[in-house]
């Protein structure tokens, strides 16, 4: 099971909110996905991506427990893999030191950092060209 998480920054011009999206794959096939307007206004691209990681994480942990509980796959090992195309969000998620810079991020989203430190999830960077969730967060270009 591996997931991809993404966000567009200020996708809604009227409310200044972003769109988050995630998709989970099992053995290369999509098994779960979501695209939704974020409930808060993110003050930076990193914050929007970090919130998207949190939402993807919540669903991913449930999905991981569901798949392993049903024993669909034998010998599922290692942490849940979540890919993000924002290097700042990935570095912040994997950094176990606290920082004064992202104080605008609500405390409830720090569960991402906690889960990374506990080795329940692994957040890795993936290039924008390889981000399969762009279809759920970015509009189609004009013809």
């Amino acid at each position: 099971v591996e997931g991809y998480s993404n966000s567009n920054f200020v996708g809604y011009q009227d409310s200044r909110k972003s769109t988050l999206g995630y998709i989970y794959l099992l053995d290369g096939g999509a098994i779960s996905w979501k695209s939704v307007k974020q409930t808060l206004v993110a003050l930076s691209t990193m914050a929007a991506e970090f919130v998207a990681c949190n939402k993807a994480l919540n669903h991913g942990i449930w999905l991981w427990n569901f798949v392993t509980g049903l024993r669909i796959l034998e010998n599922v090992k290692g942490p849940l893999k979540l890919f993000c195309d924002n290097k700042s969000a990935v570095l912040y998620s994997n950094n176990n030191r606290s920082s004064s810079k992202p104080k605008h991020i609500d405390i409830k989203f720090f569960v991402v950092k906690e889960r990374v430190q506990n080795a329940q999830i692994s957040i890795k960077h993936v290039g924008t060209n390889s981000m399969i969730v762009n279809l759920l967060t970015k509009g189609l270009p004009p013809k």
Side-chain angles (χ1 to χ4, degrees):
V1 177
E2 63 182 22
Y4 292 81
S5 169
N6 201 5
S7 176
N8 69 353
F9 182 55
V10 189
Y12 293 90
Q13 295 300 318
D14 57 337
S15 65
R16 310 298 288 170
K17 293 184 179 178
S18 304
T19 303
L20 71 85
Y22 59 80
I23 188 167
Y24 279 94
L25 307 175
L26 178 64
D27 198 28
I31 57 171
S32 184
W33 59 88
K34 184 173 190 169
S35 178
V36 67
K37 183 194 277 190
Q38 289 185 353
T39 58
L40 54 89
V41 176
L43 300 178
S44 68
T45 304
M46 188 280 272
E49 294 280 354
F50 194 69
V51 169
C53 282
N54 176 274
K55 295 297 183 184
L57 163 72
N58 289 339
H59 184 70
I61 294 294
W62 177 87
L63 194 60
W64 180 266
N65 290 332
F66 181 72
V67 169
T68 56
L70 289 178
R71 299 179 189 206
I72 294 172
L73 299 175
E74 294 295 322
N75 301 324
V76 177
K77 295 179 183 175
L80 172 67
K81 293 178 189 161
L82 184 63
F83 295 96
C84 176
D85 67 351
N86 184 283
K87 287 182 180 180
S88 296
V90 172
L91 288 172
Y92 184 70
S93 298
N94 290 312
N95 185 355
N96 60 2
R97 293 185 297 150
S98 59
S99 171
S100 61
K101 290 184 180 181
K103 286 185 178 178
H104 58 277
I105 299 175
D106 194 328
I107 194 76
K108 69 181 176 182
F109 297 110
F110 285 94
V111 70
V112 173
K113 290 174 71 87
E114 184 178 286
R115 297 279 170 102
V116 169
Q117 290 170 8
N118 293 339
Q120 287 181 295
I121 64 166
S122 170
I123 298 180
K124 303 288 184 189
H125 179 262
V126 66
T128 301
N129 292 337
S130 300
M131 180 50 71
I132 60 175
V133 185
N134 281 343
L135 298 170
L136 300 176
T137 60
K138 314 290 192 284
L140 293 173
K143 188 172 182 180

